[in-house]
Amino acid sequence: MDQQVKTPSPKKKPIGLKVGSSESILAAFEANETKVRAGRTRGVSWCATPRKEKTSDRFIPFRSEAKDTQGLFELSDEQFTTASSLENLDATSPEEQNQLKYESLLNVGLLGLDPENALPSKGPRLLKFQRTQTKRSALVPTHVLPLANVPMRTARVISKAPFKVLDAPELKDDFYLNLMDWSSTNYLTVSLGVSIYLWSADTGRVERLCQVGGGRNISFSDENDFYTALRWDPQGMYLATGRASGVLELWDLEKGRRIVADPQHKGRLACLAWNPAHPYLLASGSRDSRILLWDLRAPYRRVHEMLGHRLEVCGLSFAPHESTRLASGGNDNHVLLWSLANPKDPEFLLAGHTAAVKGVAWSPHQRGMLATGGGTRDTSLKMWNTISGALVSQVKTHSQICSIVFSSTVNELATAHGYVNNDIVLWKAPSLTRVASLEGHESRVLYLALSPKGQLLASGAADETIKLWEAFPMKKTPESSPLSTRNFVLR
């Protein structure tokens, strides 16, 4: 029996290639690479290591929100043509025609344009940048969510009508006098004729304090003498009054006591000022061009004489932050700054006014800021930095400035005007930006006084009326009455 011998089967060879040749091996490798590349393009992974996802920082807007961004750009009508004129475009090749159609589709899809007006023409760019954004209403939110524990600011409403009107018969029409003041105990005080009256803002009661030469409710006629100035002390306990004869009177309302000083001034006493830090110090200005400083604790009371003005002194004010500084305005058009450390000579001369300066007021909000106002030939309101002596700001009011009062609650001031406007104007400080104008007086407004809480502003005018205005916001925490303390005694 013959033994069957197995012969090995020949290996399969690639079609068209010879076994063992280098060309066959290279061709097989290239074929495999081609297959791998083809698989990658179809998204098939041919390798075990996963690919890292690529990220980009480009901002790609959503098409649904693309219309909101149209207001940021100005699209010129001459940059577009209608789609019906596509055949008339100057295209030299089918490639340019296809490019124009592609840009038209982009304009419709991204910018939401009408297909009839979406084809760009040759020439300027499609988007023209503008510095001012003309249409942004779509980008502004229609509502604002309230923030927790954050108070919402509301615009301050200033009433243009007076809160109350008081009759003031025989209120003198004199630019140089100071006949009205409001005490810290809420008494509005005014001189009418030869008498001084108190009006209680709490109860509305009116009481006559005195007449020239008399005491409380005592009459004493003197045709040649009358009251020319009055001022309450910071605590509201003492009232200082000046007369045309140059006599200085002090009144203690609690005890009903009157103290008459010797007539040291040789002319009418036109203005008074109490020291805010030392309420026993009082300054008085007169037509004799002198300023006298009084110490009410001393037996002889008059302690200093300040000489610097050439004509009548009609405005006085102590600095609230620096109690040793005194500002004075005079009929010689000058504003002088004095230091109580050396009262013989003025510390500074603030020049620039061309008329009498009666309005003199210090800012309670900014240290060293002083406001001054000129008369009819000047009509300018100026803000000074008395620390450096520089003029911070000024404005022409075109009307006589008779009085200046700073608000105690906001950084604003009020000015009373005579010829020709006869109104009260509120200003921002120190920029002197006009806030509001209060009109209602028929003649020039000569006197201003601020209520203790800082809300009401009283104005006295030559039309013999006193009007109360809600000019400023009220203090958040009202101060306690100062009647409970006395830190000096009049002798």
Side-chain angles (χ1 to χ4, degrees), residues 261-298:
D262 294 332
Q264 299 290 339
H265 286 290
K266 300 178 181 179
R268 68 179 179 186
L269 200 157
C271 52
L272 295 163
W274 290 87
N275 190 296
H278 307 287
Y280 49 82
L281 293 180
L282 175 67
S284 60
S286 172
R287 179 180 277 181
D288 60 10
S289 73
R290 295 186 303 160
I291 300 174
L292 300 182
L293 185 65
W294 308 79
D295 188 343
L296 304 181
R297 303 169 303 173

Side-chain angles (χ1 to χ4, degrees), residues 52-273:
K52 294 183 178 179
E53 184 180 356
K54 295 183 178 180
T55 59
S56 175
D57 59 351
R58 288 193 305 139
F59 171 71
I60 302 176
F62 293 100
R63 293 189 178 183
S64 61
E65 300 177 356
K67 293 184 179 181
D68 296 341
T69 61
Q70 294 183 33
L72 300 176
F73 304 92
E74 180 185 31
L75 306 178
S76 302
D77 293 338
E78 67 265 8
Q79 296 178 357
F80 297 89
T81 59
T82 60
S84 61
S85 61
L86 179 62
E87 295 80 5
N88 299 327
L89 291 175
D90 188 13
T92 59
S93 64
E95 288 78 7
E96 293 188 8
Q97 290 280 356
N98 294 333
Q99 180 66 24
L100 293 175
K101 292 180 180 180
Y102 175 70
E103 294 181 6
S104 177
L105 292 176
L106 288 179
N107 294 338
V108 173
L110 293 179
L111 301 180
L113 299 180
D114 187 4
E116 294 294 328
N117 299 315
L119 186 63
S121 63
K122 292 184 177 180
R125 293 178 298 175
L126 174 66
L127 301 179
K128 182 180 179 182
F129 176 75
Q130 294 288 334
R131 290 188 177 273
T132 57
Q133 300 173 0
T134 55
K135 300 178 181 179
R136 294 202 60 177
S137 59
L139 300 179
V140 179
T142 57
H143 66 281
V144 179
L145 295 178
L147 300 178
N149 301 326
V150 177
M152 300 296 291
R153 284 191 176 183
T154 58
R156 188 169 111 233
V157 178
I158 302 175
S159 176
K160 299 300 180 66
F163 170 74
K164 187 183 290 292
V165 180
L166 304 174
D167 291 331
E170 298 185 67
L171 181 62
K172 288 185 172 53
D173 182 7
D174 195 323
F175 172 79
Y176 298 97
L177 306 186
N178 293 271
L179 299 179
M180 189 174 68
D181 195 19
W182 207 324
S183 73
S184 59
T185 54
N186 216 11
Y187 280 100
L188 180 63
T189 309
V190 61
S191 174
L192 303 177
V194 294
S195 303
I196 293 180
Y197 292 88
L198 305 177
W199 177 75
S200 174
D202 296 327
T203 63
R205 181 182 176 184
V206 179
E207 180 183 2
R208 188 179 69 178
L209 174 64
C210 62
Q211 287 187 353
V212 172
R216 184 188 293 263
N217 298 324
I218 299 176
S219 299
F220 183 84
S221 60
D222 188 348
E223 296 180 357
N224 298 323
D225 202 3
F226 54 90
Y227 287 104
T228 54
L230 57 88
R231 187 70 62 193
W232 284 98
D233 77 307
Q235 296 178 340
M237 296 186 298
Y238 299 108
L239 177 67
T241 62
R243 289 157 51 176
S245 59
V247 175
L248 174 68
E249 293 182 350
L250 296 177
W251 295 87
D252 186 340
L253 297 187
E254 186 177 356
K255 295 183 177 181
R257 181 183 178 188
R258 182 188 65 175
I259 300 176
V260 180
D262 294 332
Q264 299 290 339
H265 286 290
K266 300 178 181 179
R268 68 179 179 186
L269 200 157
C271 52
L272 295 163

Side-chain angles (χ1 to χ4, degrees), residues 157-451:
V157 178
I158 302 175
S159 176
K160 299 300 180 66
F163 170 74
K164 187 183 290 292
V165 180
L166 304 174
D167 291 331
E170 298 185 67
L171 181 62
K172 288 185 172 53
D173 182 7
D174 195 323
F175 172 79
Y176 298 97
L177 306 186
N178 293 271
L179 299 179
M180 189 174 68
D181 195 19
W182 207 324
S183 73
S184 59
T185 54
N186 216 11
Y187 280 100
L188 180 63
T189 309
V190 61
S191 174
L192 303 177
V194 294
S195 303
I196 293 180
Y197 292 88
L198 305 177
W199 177 75
S200 174
D202 296 327
T203 63
R205 181 182 176 184
V206 179
E207 180 183 2
R208 188 179 69 178
L209 174 64
C210 62
Q211 287 187 353
V212 172
R216 184 188 293 263
N217 298 324
I218 299 176
S219 299
F220 183 84
S221 60
D222 188 348
E223 296 180 357
N224 298 323
D225 202 3
F226 54 90
Y227 287 104
T228 54
L230 57 88
R231 187 70 62 193
W232 284 98
D233 77 307
Q235 296 178 340
M237 296 186 298
Y238 299 108
L239 177 67
T241 62
R243 289 157 51 176
S245 59
V247 175
L248 174 68
E249 293 182 350
L250 296 177
W251 295 87
D252 186 340
L253 297 187
E254 186 177 356
K255 295 183 177 181
R257 181 183 178 188
R258 182 188 65 175
I259 300 176
V260 180
D262 294 332
Q264 299 290 339
H265 286 290
K266 300 178 181 179
R268 68 179 179 186
L269 200 157
C271 52
L272 295 163
W274 290 87
N275 190 296
H278 307 287
Y280 49 82
L281 293 180
L282 175 67
S284 60
S286 172
R287 179 180 277 181
D288 60 10
S289 73
R290 295 186 303 160
I291 300 174
L292 300 182
L293 185 65
W294 308 79
D295 188 343
L296 304 181
R297 303 169 303 173
Y300 299 101
R301 296 187 177 87
R302 197 191 85 174
V303 292
H304 290 297
E305 181 183 31
M306 304 177 183
L307 302 177
H309 288 282
R310 299 192 304 270
L311 297 176
E312 182 173 10
V313 181
C314 49
L316 282 177
S317 180
F318 275 101
H321 301 101
E322 299 173 281
S323 58
T324 59
R325 303 191 77 187
L326 175 69
S328 63
N331 199 21
D332 53 2
N333 310 341
H334 289 164
V335 177
L336 300 181
L337 299 181
W338 306 84
S339 174
L340 298 187
N342 183 20
K344 294 183 178 180
D345 299 313
E347 185 180 16
F348 285 108
L349 168 64
L350 303 180
H353 286 289
T354 58
V357 183
K358 179 189 176 186
V360 178
W362 293 88
S363 170
H365 308 283
Q366 293 177 286
R367 185 184 184 92
M369 298 300 294
L370 177 70
T372 59
T376 305
R377 296 182 181 179
D378 184 1
T379 72
S380 67
L381 177 63
K382 300 179 186 294
M383 187 69 67
W384 305 87
N385 183 345
T386 60
I387 299 176
S388 62
L391 178 63
V392 178
S393 58
Q394 62 177 334
V395 63
K396 275 286 186 179
T397 64
H398 305 289
S399 185
Q400 179 188 45
I401 300 177
C402 302
S403 182
I404 300 176
V405 171
F406 265 94
S407 168
S408 59
T409 57
V410 291
N411 195 10
E412 297 178 3
L413 66 150
T415 54
H417 295 272
Y419 309 117
V420 292
N421 295 335
N422 302 331
D423 60 353
I424 303 106
V425 181
L426 307 183
W427 309 85
K428 286 281 187 183
S431 62
L432 297 183
T433 303
R434 183 186 289 258
V435 176
S437 178
L438 307 178
E439 301 177 354
H441 284 288
E442 298 177 358
S443 185
R444 61 176 178 172
V445 186
L446 295 165
Y447 317 108
L448 288 179
L450 191 65
S451 67

